[in-house]
Amino acid sequence: MALRQFPDATPDAGISPHRPRHRLRLALVSAAAGVLLAVLWSFELVDKVIGDNVANTVLGHDAKETAITGTVAGLLFAFVSGFAGTFTACNIAVAASVGPMSQVSGADPAGGTRQALRALLRPVGWLTLGMVAVSASYGVVGVLAGDRLPQLSTDVVGGVPVRLIQSSVVFGVIGLALIYLGLAALKLVPDVFAHRPVARVVTIGALVGGFLVGRPYPMFNKLFHWAVDTGNPLYGALAFTLQSLGNIVLVTVVFAVAVAISRGRFLAWMADPRRAAVVTGALLVALGVFTVVYWDVRVPALFGFGWFPRMPYN
């Protein structure tokens, strides 16, 4: 009877419609957290201190300065540079996938750790499907288009590098999409995936794959040029796929560890519709707002377009 009286209280609907103020408050707090993160974010720390050191350590040489020699070296560089860029501003939003993934695991909370870990393959697989569809396609297009793409251009328009203009446009669109998905999870806007949780995960995977379309990360730029120089679209597709897979390694490991340590209880905890909506909505709104504010307000402000507060360490 409860489900008939209150349609929004279905497993896919999220938070009960009796408490819209709380949902709106959560959305506003999450948005504020996203803005604060954009203000405090240190690209020097995540790009150079963390990213460069991780890549240099894994590869055993200076990742930026050492030339890529050969196909195997290029593909290895693709995966390692993707992993090294986990915490960059053009990838951190992948953390928002944890909530939606937990809703499509298909795991029986009483099945224990082994059954829960097997169930990880399902959500990770759907996320990867959406991601690879976009990243592999862009790898093919990137090699065929080459330097005609703004992302590989060295031109400057109005004092702003053309490649950063592409970044602002792409990440602005992705950020808005994440915000909408977050608000939909909180039932503040219509949820087109209300009864299609798998489609939600695939869509988020596609957005993660789309990160490559706007990514200005220096090591990705190096990989992109290598792929174009090979002249082989298949290499481009494989290299971009490996880059994207490297991007989600950490979030996949964190997800698996949470399930293993809790012996599957994490999935049981996330099975509660209201709790799942809170986690999913908060993460998507916060990281979506961060993405929009960082790339469409903070970055342009660095070139004199508008104003944005700057920290002493940036």
Side-chain angles (χ1 to χ4, degrees), residues 124-177:
V124 172
W126 287 122
L127 182 76
T128 302
L129 175 64
M131 180 182 71
V132 170
V134 175
S135 58
S137 298
Y138 190 57
V140 172
V141 172
V143 171
L144 294 177
D147 291 338
R148 286 172 291 179
L149 288 173
Q151 199 168 10
L152 294 180
S153 174
T154 57
D155 293 340
V156 176
V157 176
V160 183
V162 170
R163 62 189 181 88
L164 287 184
I165 295 177
Q166 178 171 330
S167 297
S168 293
V169 172
V170 171
F171 283 111
V173 172
I174 290 176
L176 290 175

Side-chain angles (χ1 to χ4, degrees), residues 213-271:
V213 182
R215 179 165 293 163
Y217 189 43
M219 280 191 276
F220 175 65
N221 186 266
K222 177 180 177 179
L223 174 69
F224 206 152
H225 278 288
W226 171 81
V228 171
D229 290 342
T230 67
N232 190 330
L234 292 180
Y235 281 164
L238 185 54
F240 281 30
T241 295
L242 289 172
Q243 169 89 183
S244 286
L245 289 175
N247 289 158
I248 66 170
V249 166
L250 187 59
V251 72
T252 301
V253 170
V254 170
F255 191 34
V257 169
V259 173
I261 291 179
S262 67
R263 297 184 179 181
R265 286 190 291 271
F266 171 72
L267 294 177
W269 186 81
M270 284 293 292

Side-chain angles (χ1 to χ4, degrees), residues 55-56 59-67 77 222:
N56 294 344
L59 294 174
H61 56 71
D62 191 315
K64 285 184 178 178
E65 301 300 327
T66 304
F77 181 85
K222 177 180 177 179

